[in-house]
Amino acid sequence: MGYLTLSGAILAEVLATTSMKYSEGFSKLWPSVATAVGYGIAFVLLAQTLKTISVGTAYAVWAGAGTAVIAAIGMVFLGEAVTAARVIGVLLVIAGVVVLNLGGAH
């Protein structure tokens, strides 16, 4: 159940961050509301996740997955540059999350 709530927290964070892009500095109402609601849901679900998953593992997965997905959204849908440095950076974030999860299994 912990990884299910963690997945929800990641999804809510990604939607909130994407909405923030469209809020134009919180000058547009509905994207601004979506940002606030999305982050609220993300934090509530992350807090629930911490009941069953260690804080280090949960936060690493939440932050790492969110970072990787947002970077991919930026490059694929928002016209941000796809550079070797960005791709390598995203891969390193993913590798770090994997290593932390493997280390937490012991």
Side-chain angles (χ1 to χ4, degrees):
M1 185 66 170
Y3 282 98
L4 182 62
T5 57
L6 182 55
S7 296
I10 293 165
L11 177 62
E13 187 264 337
V14 166
L15 292 173
T17 302
T18 304
S19 295
M20 190 185 308
K21 167 70 174 164
Y22 291 104
S23 77
E24 295 185 17
F26 296 113
S27 65
K28 292 191 172 186
L29 178 63
W30 295 115
S32 299
V33 169
T35 299
V37 170
Y39 279 120
I41 292 168
F43 286 123
V44 167
L45 291 174
L46 183 59
Q48 293 301 310
T49 299
L50 297 179
K51 292 179 179 179
T52 57
I53 298 176
S54 70
V55 68
T57 299
Y59 192 76
V61 172
W62 183 66
T67 299
V69 171
I70 288 296
I73 288 170
M75 289 184 280
V76 173
F77 297 108
L78 301 176
E80 295 178 3
V82 180
T83 64
R86 280 184 181 219
V87 172
I88 290 168
V90 169
L91 292 174
L92 287 171
V93 167
I94 293 167
V97 169
V98 169
V99 169
L100 284 170
N101 275 307
L102 292 175
H106 297 289

